[in-house]
Amino acid sequence: MHVNDAKLVISAASEKQYPETDRPEVVLLGRSNVGKSSFINTLINRKGLARTSSQPGKTQTMNFYDIDAKDASFSFVDMPGYGYAKASKKDREKWGKMIETYLQKRGNIVLVLLLVDSRIGPTEDDRLMYEWLDYYGKTPIVVATKADKLSSNARRKAASQIADELGISNTGQIILFSASTRDGKDQAWQTIEQHL
Ligand code: GTP
Ligand code: MG
């Protein structure tokens, strides 16, 4: 995919601020610090477009990025990370509600990517998120992040463990991904293109 243009449209904190558009949306979900913003930056070759940080809880709004490529126009929606232990209960509830409202009301979602840390595997929150999405007919594709931290043998094991724990029958569907080495970038683009 050759991306010509990528820009942040809005950092939305509520439904009223969703962009009025019928562009297809590809949603990034996952724990805080799992690598959602880094995933976007890697796919579009722009280091600093989506803000990343060593501090978990960086993305606290829904960030809509319009992506224009030669053959496709769509948006990435970078969601606040869940499961950030140090966030206040009130903040966690607010982000949870924000994610739920968006997923239930938005009609132009074409693909949900659920990012899981390849070294940790699915957490309880990841399992609940997967099941919730599956129940509502928005079964996500899983991206196993930070694969550069694992040997190739450990990667294979991580993929089958994630598949096992989430009840995914086809391990090959899990995208082993690294923002550092760019491994998995082509598979990620193929998956996105299939859904546009
Ligand atoms: P929140 O916005 O807090 O929800 O986090 P996020 O999911 O957007 O994570 P982000 O992309 O900000 O990455 C968090 C940290 O992990 C940063 O320090 C990144 O540099 C690092 N990181 C992300 N992806 C990778 C990867 O593939 N490999 C390695 N080694 N580090 C990564
Ligand atoms: Mg982020």
Side-chain angles (χ1 to χ4, degrees):
M1 177 82 77
H2 181 79
V3 174
N4 295 319
D5 195 31
K7 58 177 181 293
L8 174 66
V9 177
I10 192 167
S11 291
S14 70
E15 207 185 331
K16 290 190 296 288
Q17 296 176 313
Y18 297 170
E20 274 182 49
T21 174
D22 50 12
R23 288 170 82 97
E25 286 176 350
V26 175
V27 189
L28 282 299
L29 277 176
R31 276 178 45 245
S32 185
N33 212 44
V34 71
K36 298 176 293 297
S37 301
S38 302
F39 176 90
I40 294 176
N41 289 335
T42 303
L43 259 69
I44 62 174
N45 292 322
R46 287 266 300 271
K47 247 193 162 153
L49 184 70
R51 287 187 64 197
T52 62
S53 165
S54 49
Q55 300 282 323
K58 190 76 201 166
T59 312
Q60 302 188 357
T61 48
M62 294 170 275
N63 295 332
F64 292 76
Y65 297 95
D66 278 3
I67 310 297
D68 289 300
K70 195 162 147 267
D71 304 311
S73 291
F74 70 99
S75 303
F76 276 128
V77 185
D78 192 9
M79 300 297 278
Y82 50 77
Y84 174 41
K86 282 189 187 149
S88 68
K89 188 163 174 256
K90 211 170 145 209
D91 273 343
R92 268 181 280 159
E93 279 169 6
K94 190 178 84 189
W95 298 336
K97 194 80 207 139
M98 213 191 263
I99 293 170
E100 198 177 308
T101 303
Y102 169 77
L103 290 167
Q104 274 179 334
K105 298 211 173 158
R106 196 69 164 163
N108 48 334
I109 299 171
V110 295
L111 173 64
V112 180
L113 295 173
L114 179 63
L115 276 61
V116 171
D117 192 315
S118 62
R119 299 163 305 174
I120 300 171
T123 62
E124 183 59 21
D125 284 332
D126 293 331
R127 269 193 292 276
L128 289 170
M129 184 54 80
Y130 188 91
E131 277 167 23
W132 190 87
L133 288 161
D134 199 42
Y135 180 80
Y136 283 105
K138 298 184 198 302
T139 310
I141 301 266
V142 173
V143 177
T145 63
K146 310 193 184 186
D148 53 285
K149 304 265 192 185
L150 298 177
S151 68
S152 54
N153 200 22
R155 285 181 189 203
R156 273 193 297 277
K157 269 194 200 147
S160 61
Q161 188 207 336
I162 292 169
D164 234 38
E165 287 184 21
L166 296 178
I168 299 167
S169 52
N170 180 4
T171 310
Q173 249 197 11
I174 294 174
I175 303 170
L176 282 158
F177 187 82
S178 165
S180 308
T181 63
R182 297 165 189 271
D183 276 354
K185 186 177 162 182
D186 290 347
Q187 193 186 348
W189 268 126
Q190 274 167 25
T191 302
I192 291 167
E193 282 168 41
Q194 278 163 14
H195 287 81
L196 293 178

PDB file of all heavy atoms in Angstrom, residues 159-175:
ATOM      1  N   ALA A 159       1.973 -17.401  19.137  1.00  0.00           N
ATOM      2  CA  ALA A 159       0.794 -17.349  18.260  1.00  0.00           C
ATOM      3  C   ALA A 159      -0.172 -18.477  18.589  1.00  0.00           C
ATOM      4  O   ALA A 159      -1.388 -18.258  18.685  1.00  0.00           O
ATOM      5  CB  ALA A 159       1.217 -17.405  16.796  1.00  0.00           C
ATOM      6  N   SER A 160       0.351 -19.684  18.792  1.00  0.00           N
ATOM      7  CA  SER A 160      -0.598 -20.778  19.053  1.00  0.00           C
ATOM      8  C   SER A 160      -1.191 -20.675  20.453  1.00  0.00           C
ATOM      9  O   SER A 160      -2.343 -21.046  20.671  1.00  0.00           O
ATOM     10  CB  SER A 160       0.010 -22.162  18.787  1.00  0.00           C
ATOM     11  OG  SER A 160       1.105 -22.374  19.611  1.00  0.00           O
ATOM     12  N   GLN A 161      -0.437 -20.103  21.371  1.00  0.00           N
ATOM     13  CA  GLN A 161      -0.985 -19.902  22.730  1.00  0.00           C
ATOM     14  C   GLN A 161      -2.114 -18.860  22.708  1.00  0.00           C
ATOM     15  O   GLN A 161      -3.156 -19.041  23.322  1.00  0.00           O
ATOM     16  CB  GLN A 161       0.134 -19.455  23.664  1.00  0.00           C
ATOM     17  CG  GLN A 161      -0.279 -19.417  25.132  1.00  0.00           C
ATOM     18  CD  GLN A 161       0.524 -18.406  25.925  1.00  0.00           C
ATOM     19  OE1 GLN A 161       1.647 -18.047  25.536  1.00  0.00           O
ATOM     20  NE2 GLN A 161      -0.029 -17.923  27.022  1.00  0.00           N
ATOM     21  N   ILE A 162      -1.886 -17.773  21.972  1.00  0.00           N
ATOM     22  CA  ILE A 162      -2.916 -16.730  21.865  1.00  0.00           C
ATOM     23  C   ILE A 162      -4.171 -17.313  21.218  1.00  0.00           C
ATOM     24  O   ILE A 162      -5.295 -17.107  21.683  1.00  0.00           O
ATOM     25  CB  ILE A 162      -2.395 -15.505  21.063  1.00  0.00           C
ATOM     26  CG1 ILE A 162      -1.309 -14.777  21.857  1.00  0.00           C
ATOM     27  CG2 ILE A 162      -3.533 -14.554  20.720  1.00  0.00           C
ATOM     28  CD1 ILE A 162      -0.555 -13.718  21.065  1.00  0.00           C
ATOM     29  N   ALA A 163      -3.968 -18.068  20.127  1.00  0.00           N
ATOM     30  CA  ALA A 163      -5.104 -18.684  19.422  1.00  0.00           C
ATOM     31  C   ALA A 163      -5.886 -19.594  20.366  1.00  0.00           C
ATOM     32  O   ALA A 163      -7.115 -19.532  20.434  1.00  0.00           O
ATOM     33  CB  ALA A 163      -4.605 -19.468  18.213  1.00  0.00           C
ATOM     34  N   ASP A 164      -5.132 -20.398  21.092  1.00  0.00           N
ATOM     35  CA  ASP A 164      -5.725 -21.323  22.063  1.00  0.00           C
ATOM     36  C   ASP A 164      -6.575 -20.597  23.098  1.00  0.00           C
ATOM     37  O   ASP A 164      -7.725 -20.951  23.348  1.00  0.00           O
ATOM     38  CB  ASP A 164      -4.570 -21.989  22.813  1.00  0.00           C
ATOM     39  CG  ASP A 164      -4.672 -23.479  22.762  1.00  0.00           C
ATOM     40  OD1 ASP A 164      -5.075 -23.981  21.689  1.00  0.00           O
ATOM     41  OD2 ASP A 164      -4.348 -24.114  23.788  1.00  0.00           O
ATOM     42  N   GLU A 165      -5.981 -19.582  23.677  1.00  0.00           N
ATOM     43  CA  GLU A 165      -6.638 -18.900  24.799  1.00  0.00           C
ATOM     44  C   GLU A 165      -7.844 -18.083  24.363  1.00  0.00           C
ATOM     45  O   GLU A 165      -8.743 -17.834  25.157  1.00  0.00           O
ATOM     46  CB  GLU A 165      -5.629 -18.027  25.551  1.00  0.00           C
ATOM     47  CG  GLU A 165      -4.659 -18.873  26.369  1.00  0.00           C
ATOM     48  CD  GLU A 165      -3.701 -18.054  27.201  1.00  0.00           C
ATOM     49  OE1 GLU A 165      -3.997 -16.875  27.479  1.00  0.00           O
ATOM     50  OE2 GLU A 165      -2.644 -18.590  27.559  1.00  0.00           O
ATOM     51  N   LEU A 166      -7.841 -17.621  23.114  1.00  0.00           N
ATOM     52  CA  LEU A 166      -8.973 -16.815  22.657  1.00  0.00           C
ATOM     53  C   LEU A 166      -9.977 -17.636  21.857  1.00  0.00           C
ATOM     54  O   LEU A 166     -11.028 -17.134  21.467  1.00  0.00           O
ATOM     55  CB  LEU A 166      -8.473 -15.626  21.822  1.00  0.00           C
ATOM     56  CG  LEU A 166      -7.610 -14.596  22.565  1.00  0.00           C
ATOM     57  CD1 LEU A 166      -7.138 -13.502  21.607  1.00  0.00           C
ATOM     58  CD2 LEU A 166      -8.373 -13.975  23.737  1.00  0.00           C
ATOM     59  N   GLY A 167      -9.633 -18.903  21.597  1.00  0.00           N
ATOM     60  CA  GLY A 167     -10.537 -19.754  20.825  1.00  0.00           C
ATOM     61  C   GLY A 167     -10.550 -19.415  19.341  1.00  0.00           C
ATOM     62  O   GLY A 167     -11.588 -19.430  18.689  1.00  0.00           O
ATOM     63  N   ILE A 168      -9.357 -19.076  18.807  1.00  0.00           N
ATOM     64  CA  ILE A 168      -9.243 -18.778  17.369  1.00  0.00           C
ATOM     65  C   ILE A 168      -8.773 -20.066  16.683  1.00  0.00           C
ATOM     66  O   ILE A 168      -7.747 -20.633  17.070  1.00  0.00           O
ATOM     67  CB  ILE A 168      -8.208 -17.650  17.135  1.00  0.00           C
ATOM     68  CG1 ILE A 168      -8.654 -16.373  17.856  1.00  0.00           C
ATOM     69  CG2 ILE A 168      -7.980 -17.407  15.654  1.00  0.00           C
ATOM     70  CD1 ILE A 168      -7.573 -15.303  17.947  1.00  0.00           C
ATOM     71  N   SER A 169      -9.534 -20.511  15.657  1.00  0.00           N
ATOM     72  CA  SER A 169      -9.192 -21.816  15.078  1.00  0.00           C
ATOM     73  C   SER A 169      -7.993 -21.732  14.132  1.00  0.00           C
ATOM     74  O   SER A 169      -7.199 -22.652  14.028  1.00  0.00           O
ATOM     75  CB  SER A 169     -10.409 -22.401  14.368  1.00  0.00           C
ATOM     76  OG  SER A 169     -10.921 -21.449  13.463  1.00  0.00           O
ATOM     77  N   ASN A 170      -7.851 -20.604  13.456  1.00  0.00           N
ATOM     78  CA  ASN A 170      -6.779 -20.486  12.469  1.00  0.00           C
ATOM     79  C   ASN A 170      -5.615 -19.620  12.999  1.00  0.00           C
ATOM     80  O   ASN A 170      -5.655 -18.394  12.946  1.00  0.00           O
ATOM     81  CB  ASN A 170      -7.366 -19.884  11.185  1.00  0.00           C
ATOM     82  CG  ASN A 170      -6.324 -19.721  10.099  1.00  0.00           C
ATOM     83  OD1 ASN A 170      -5.169 -20.120  10.266  1.00  0.00           O
ATOM     84  ND2 ASN A 170      -6.723 -19.140   8.981  1.00  0.00           N
ATOM     85  N   THR A 171      -4.558 -20.289  13.486  1.00  0.00           N
ATOM     86  CA  THR A 171      -3.400 -19.576  14.045  1.00  0.00           C
ATOM     87  C   THR A 171      -2.770 -18.644  13.009  1.00  0.00           C
ATOM     88  O   THR A 171      -2.241 -17.594  13.350  1.00  0.00           O
ATOM     89  CB  THR A 171      -2.323 -20.580  14.534  1.00  0.00           C
ATOM     90  OG1 THR A 171      -2.967 -21.534  15.366  1.00  0.00           O
ATOM     91  CG2 THR A 171      -1.213 -19.897  15.300  1.00  0.00           C
ATOM     92  N   GLY A 172      -2.852 -19.039  11.738  1.00  0.00           N
ATOM     93  CA  GLY A 172      -2.258 -18.251  10.665  1.00  0.00           C
ATOM     94  C   GLY A 172      -2.869 -16.867  10.512  1.00  0.00           C
ATOM     95  O   GLY A 172      -2.294 -15.979   9.894  1.00  0.00           O
ATOM     96  N   GLN A 173      -4.051 -16.689  11.113  1.00  0.00           N
ATOM     97  CA  GLN A 173      -4.730 -15.390  11.043  1.00  0.00           C
ATOM     98  C   GLN A 173      -4.109 -14.364  11.977  1.00  0.00           C
ATOM     99  O   GLN A 173      -4.308 -13.167  11.816  1.00  0.00           O
ATOM    100  CB  GLN A 173      -6.185 -15.581  11.447  1.00  0.00           C
ATOM    101  CG  GLN A 173      -7.131 -15.401  10.301  1.00  0.00           C
ATOM    102  CD  GLN A 173      -8.545 -15.178  10.802  1.00  0.00           C
ATOM    103  OE1 GLN A 173      -8.810 -14.953  11.977  1.00  0.00           O
ATOM    104  NE2 GLN A 173      -9.463 -15.240   9.868  1.00  0.00           N
ATOM    105  N   ILE A 174      -3.376 -14.857  12.986  1.00  0.00           N
ATOM    106  CA  ILE A 174      -2.766 -13.936  13.947  1.00  0.00           C
ATOM    107  C   ILE A 174      -1.545 -13.290  13.298  1.00  0.00           C
ATOM    108  O   ILE A 174      -0.704 -13.969  12.726  1.00  0.00           O
ATOM    109  CB  ILE A 174      -2.388 -14.692  15.238  1.00  0.00           C
ATOM    110  CG1 ILE A 174      -3.677 -15.170  15.921  1.00  0.00           C
ATOM    111  CG2 ILE A 174      -1.548 -13.813  16.168  1.00  0.00           C
ATOM    112  CD1 ILE A 174      -3.459 -16.053  17.112  1.00  0.00           C
ATOM    113  N   ILE A 175      -1.498 -11.973  13.368  1.00  0.00           N
ATOM    114  CA  ILE A 175      -0.411 -11.235  12.726  1.00  0.00           C
ATOM    115  C   ILE A 175       0.702 -11.000  13.741  1.00  0.00           C
ATOM    116  O   ILE A 175       0.522 -10.254  14.699  1.00  0.00           O
ATOM    117  CB  ILE A 175      -0.921  -9.891  12.163  1.00  0.00           C
ATOM    118  CG1 ILE A 175      -2.073 -10.123  11.182  1.00  0.00           C
ATOM    119  CG2 ILE A 175       0.217  -9.107  11.514  1.00  0.00           C
ATOM    120  CD1 ILE A 175      -2.797  -8.843  10.750  1.00  0.00           C
TER     121      ILE A 175
END
